[in-house]
Amino acid sequence: LPRHLPQLPQWQIAAFYGPARAVGGDFYDFVEMPDGRIGIAVGDVTDKGVPAALVMARTHSILRAEASRSNDPGEILSRANDLLVPEMPAKMFVTCLFAVLDPPTGRIVIANAGHNLPFVRTGDELTELRATGMPLGLMAGIRYEEVEGVIAPDSNVLLYSDGLIEAHDRSREMFGFGRLRDALRIDDAGSELLDRLLETLNAFTGPDHEQEDDITLVTLH
């Protein structure tokens, strides 16, 4: 995982990583790209523990290498997928979202390999950046669509793994998208937003909850 988060003028970036075990299969990364753009990756390997961590490390290194060869997130995911397919362990795959952000303009281009859709909150409006595609490592020759948007001033973007929404309380009720949407409507950003999301999750699951899956959160403001 990155030792330092990007320091961008007029942008606030925060991230959280919480593995369910000593090591995990989630990952996030920030990659410096040409012309001052930033590549942002968030991913989730099926399974947990050491096998997932090994696949995560391999996926992370491939994405970084491919991001040095292309500026297009769809092409980056497609090349990574073709490299991962022949070496992916049985019954495992990787969901991954790769975005390229142009900080001065707020322009963002996203490609998605089966990962949760990012949320964007601007004022009272909460939307999803809808890009879809097959997870990495299942089938070679996949092409990934790209979706372009602009992050307006004072907007919050949240990228996350399913360990948040799929957490359960004592009665086995799932945290779900509805609670996440409600939590995102409050006006805070950066590490304050992530802290509040985790506090909301802990209040839902209870103090003695055993974390079921890795949780990764990345927010841009």
Side-chain angles (χ1 to χ4, degrees):
L1 298 175
R3 292 185 178 182
H4 305 286
L5 300 180
Q7 302 297 312
L8 305 176
Q10 299 182 328
W11 285 85
Q12 186 178 6
I13 299 177
F16 169 83
Y17 178 77
R21 300 179 182 173
V23 293
D26 279 12
F27 64 92
Y28 68 88
D29 197 13
F30 298 92
V31 184
E32 293 185 6
M33 303 185 76
D35 302 323
R37 287 172 292 181
I38 299 291
I40 306 167
V42 177
D44 182 0
V45 181
T46 53
D47 204 355
K48 295 179 286 294
V50 172
L54 293 173
V55 173
M56 177 271 286
R58 176 64 173 149
T59 304
H60 172 264
S61 64
I62 289 175
L63 288 172
R64 276 200 158 250
E66 295 307 322
S68 70
R69 300 184 178 100
S70 174
N71 297 322
D72 301 322
E75 185 175 7
I76 291 168
L77 289 183
S78 181
R79 290 179 176 178
N81 177 67
D82 287 344
L83 291 170
L84 286 168
V85 166
E87 59 187 64
M88 186 65 64
K91 299 181 180 180
M92 292 185 71
F93 57 84
V94 183
T95 68
C96 181
L97 183 140
F98 198 97
V100 177
L101 173 69
D102 181 43
T105 64
R107 178 179 179 265
I108 191 168
V109 183
I110 288 178
N112 191 353
H115 200 71
N116 297 306
L117 302 178
F119 279 108
V120 182
R121 186 179 72 81
T122 304
D124 295 329
E125 183 179 5
L126 187 64
T127 59
E128 291 176 321
L129 295 175
R130 290 193 166 272
T132 58
M134 185 178 292
L136 304 177
L138 291 177
M139 181 185 302
I142 301 299
R143 296 295 174 261
Y144 293 91
E145 67 169 333
E146 296 179 350
V147 172
E148 180 179 339
V150 176
I151 308 304
D154 292 326
S155 295
N156 282 337
V157 182
L158 178 70
L159 296 81
Y160 61 100
S161 65
D162 58 13
L164 174 65
I165 56 172
E166 294 182 0
H168 295 83
D169 66 6
R170 293 180 179 177
S171 62
R172 301 304 298 167
E173 182 178 355
M174 189 179 294
F175 187 80
F177 288 103
R179 289 181 177 85
L180 177 56
R181 286 177 173 272
D182 291 342
L184 288 174
R185 295 187 187 279
I186 298 176
D187 190 19
D188 54 14
S191 58
E192 292 83 3
L193 171 60
L194 300 189
D195 288 344
R196 188 171 50 75
L197 287 175
L198 294 170
E199 290 170 1
T200 302
L201 176 64
N202 291 335
F204 171 78
T205 58
D208 299 325
H209 168 71
E210 182 178 350
Q211 187 175 324
E212 302 168 74
D213 198 2
D214 307 328
I215 296 175
T216 298
L217 305 170
V218 174
T219 183
L220 318 171
H221 178 77

